[in-house]
Amino acid sequence: MSGKAYLIGAGPGRADLITVRGLNLLRQADVVLYDWLVAPQLLEQAAPSAERIFVGKAHDKHTLEQDAITDLIVAHVRAGRQVARLKGGDPSVFGHAGEEALALAEAGLPFEIVPGVSSALAAPIYAGIPLTYRGVSTAFAVVTGHEAPGKNHSGTDWAALARIPTLVVLMGLHRINAVCAALLAAGRLPETPAAIISRATTSDQRVLRATLATMPEALRHANLPTPAVLVIGEVVALSEQLDWFAPAMVEVGFLPFDTLAGRRWDDS
Ligand code: SAH
């Protein structure tokens, strides 16, 4: 059989937030390459015979550099395997799906990209924060905190971002001081509500609420584990009434693997 790569969004944390298509393709893969944000229960959904390869990249601790991961995907597809590349959240949101797909395209190999529920969308709403709200927020932006000001080559226009009603900052905990300072310097009000959602959608989810001005100090005391998302904007105040999620309610009920064994879901 000829090989193909599937770049699959695994969803933001709890295993059953993967899409139905993503799960079906995962179940028929010969090789699964996954990173550290992927729920362990999802790996159990791959066929017992599937080869599982951890290629995770934790902060400052790159298990395999991106080029090596890309080479690995290309090599397995060339060898005729169905490769599931499972990525946390959505594969194209700070997930290197673009680089991996480009390498496959240049090698003339077939691939499919399966969107996923990004933590940028899921973390806020699991904390009761709607990203848009009539009369309060008509736009939101998702930005990486890595490119916070102070870095020599920040490619991020923080002054422009300060004017967007709702901001979602990924990978921002390490640079929280610089991020909040830049938004304040650009004129965002100090009392703007802010929240950090740690390990969103899982049984470990924790939410820290503060303001743009007080968040860096609040975080120092709270000592929240990563991964975490920072949300800034008036919509954060709605979470006082909309905080619906009880982490203890996370449980995962998947169909047993053999209910799908032998079926082909790759209809393309
Ligand atoms: N492709 C992923 C993002 C990868 S960048 C997605 O769409 O979600 C990694 C960053 O995502 C982390 O630094 C953190 O900011 C965020 N993140 C991922 N999973 C998270 C979770 N369960 N809770 C909070 N933040 C999360």
Side-chain angles (χ1 to χ4, degrees), residues 12-13 37 88-90 93-95 118-120 123 170-171 197-200 227-229:
L37 292 174
D90 180 90
V93 177
F94 303 118
S118 176
S119 62
L170 269 52
M171 299 173 279
I197 306 110
S198 159
R199 304 209 165 158
V229 162

Side-chain angles (χ1 to χ4, degrees), residues 4 6 21 25 28 82 112 263-268:
K4 185 165 173 177
Y6 299 90
R21 183 159 183 81
L25 290 166
Q28 66 183 32
Q82 305 295 301
E112 171 176 337
R263 293 183 61 179
R264 294 288 312 171
W265 291 86
D266 179 15
D267 49 18
S268 54

Side-chain angles (χ1 to χ4, degrees), residues 172-237:
L173 251 47
H174 301 276
R175 308 275 306 158
I176 186 118
N177 292 352
V179 167
C180 292
L183 294 170
L184 289 167
R188 198 70 190 243
L189 294 178
E191 57 272 21
T192 307
I196 291 174
I197 306 110
S198 159
R199 304 209 165 158
T201 76
T202 74
S203 52
D204 295 331
Q205 174 170 313
R206 283 168 62 195
V207 182
L208 174 67
R209 291 179 184 76
T211 67
L212 181 56
T214 61
M215 186 53 97
E217 181 67 11
L219 178 63
R220 255 192 299 285
H221 296 294
N223 198 18
L224 286 182
T226 56
V229 162
L230 167 66
V231 190
I232 297 159
E234 293 302 327
V235 284
V236 173

Side-chain angles (χ1 to χ4, degrees), residues 108-174:
L109 297 169
F111 63 88
E112 171 176 337
I113 304 177
V114 183
V117 178
S118 176
S119 62
L121 306 181
I125 205 57
Y126 261 68
I129 303 167
L131 292 174
T132 66
Y133 195 94
R134 193 158 43 93
V136 179
S137 169
T138 56
F140 65 88
V142 180
V143 61
T144 170
H146 267 338
E147 298 286 317
K151 250 184 127 167
N152 305 336
H153 55 276
S154 174
T156 307
D157 186 344
W158 289 93
L161 288 168
R163 293 193 296 275
I164 293 174
T166 306
L167 280 183
V168 182
V169 185
L170 269 52
M171 299 173 279
L173 251 47
H174 301 276

Side-chain angles (χ1 to χ4, degrees), residues 11 83 101 138 194 210 257:
V83 178
T138 56
F257 177 77

